[in-house]
């Protein structure tokens, strides 16, 4: 188990996760766009938001990989299966508490149930399990995060 394994796994895992989400969006399976969601936190410019969002998404992907390393170090075990299990927990956290409790507090352009008619939000609130972005979104998020976790776990175990 090493930091380098976690960082390489985090990069590859984030690349795969992002590709799965982008493909699902392009195929109209879901409307979720995590880089746009993150990018609109720092800018109202839609094009800039996408670019900055990808940078932020990879930063968070590497950060979560270091978190996985810390968990695996505490457990004394790492592997792709353990990573996949953490990926399930990661997906559950990301699709519930993160986007519905924590993100709306700091996101200046996200709508929420208390958004008034005279305030126009740039971004629709994701809702529980991100269902506002489509009925298949929870499954897409689960698959993408399990893949991320398995990849990170596998690289950390090397």
């Amino acid at each position: 188990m090493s930091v380098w394994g976690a960082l390489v796994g985090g990069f590859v895992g984030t690349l795969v996760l992002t590709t799965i989400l982008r493909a699902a969006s392009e195929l109209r399976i879901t409307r979720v766009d995590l880089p746009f969601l993150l990018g609109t936190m720092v800018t109202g410019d839609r094009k800039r938001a996408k670019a900055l969002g990808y940078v932020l998404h990879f930063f968070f992907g590497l950060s979560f990989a270091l978190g996985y390393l810390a968990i695996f170090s505490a457990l004394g075990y790492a592997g792709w299966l353990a990573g996949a299990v953490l990926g399930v927990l990661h997906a559950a956290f990301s699709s519930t508490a993160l986007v519905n409790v924590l993100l709306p507090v700091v996101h200046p352009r996200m709508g929420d149930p208390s958004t008034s008619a005279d305030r126009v939000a740039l971004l629709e609130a994701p809702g529980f399990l991100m269902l506002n972005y489509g009925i298949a979104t929870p499954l897409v998020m689960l698959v993408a995060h399990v893949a991320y976790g398995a990849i990170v776990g596998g690289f950390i175990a090397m």
Side-chain angles (χ1 to χ4, degrees), residues 19 39 43-44 47 51 60 67 96 144 153:
T19 302
T43 182
K47 287 182 183 178
F60 288 127
T96 57

Side-chain angles (χ1 to χ4, degrees), residues 73-152:
S73 294
L75 294 174
Y77 173 79
W80 69 268
L81 185 57
V85 170
L86 277 183
V88 170
L89 298 174
H90 186 171
F93 172 74
S94 296
S95 298
T96 57
L98 182 64
V99 296
N100 290 301
V101 177
L102 303 174
L103 195 59
V105 172
V106 297
H107 200 304
R109 295 170 187 88
M110 180 183 284
D112 63 39
S114 66
T115 301
S116 63
D118 64 344
R119 183 175 156 241
V120 178
L122 179 63
L123 191 65
E124 177 183 12
F128 181 70
L129 294 177
M130 301 181 87
L131 285 167
N132 289 352
Y133 296 154
I135 193 78
T137 302
L139 180 60
V140 171
M141 290 292 287
L142 180 64
V143 168
H145 283 84
V146 166
Y148 170 87
I151 291 167
V152 171

Side-chain angles (χ1 to χ4, degrees), residues 14-72:
T14 303
L15 188 62
V16 169
L17 180 144
T18 305
T19 302
I20 290 169
L21 294 179
R22 184 80 253 143
S25 181
E26 292 296 327
L27 292 170
R28 304 207 189 290
I29 296 169
T30 180
R31 293 185 309 112
V32 71
D33 189 342
L34 291 182
F36 185 69
L37 183 81
L38 294 170
T40 53
M41 283 179 55
V42 293
T43 182
D45 181 295
R46 288 177 152 317
K47 287 182 183 178
R48 221 176 243 143
K50 281 267 195 188
L52 291 171
Y54 277 103
V55 171
L56 287 170
H57 195 238
F58 272 87
F59 170 77
F60 288 127
L62 295 174
S63 300
F64 270 99
L66 294 174
Y68 278 47
L69 175 63
I71 292 168
F72 290 142

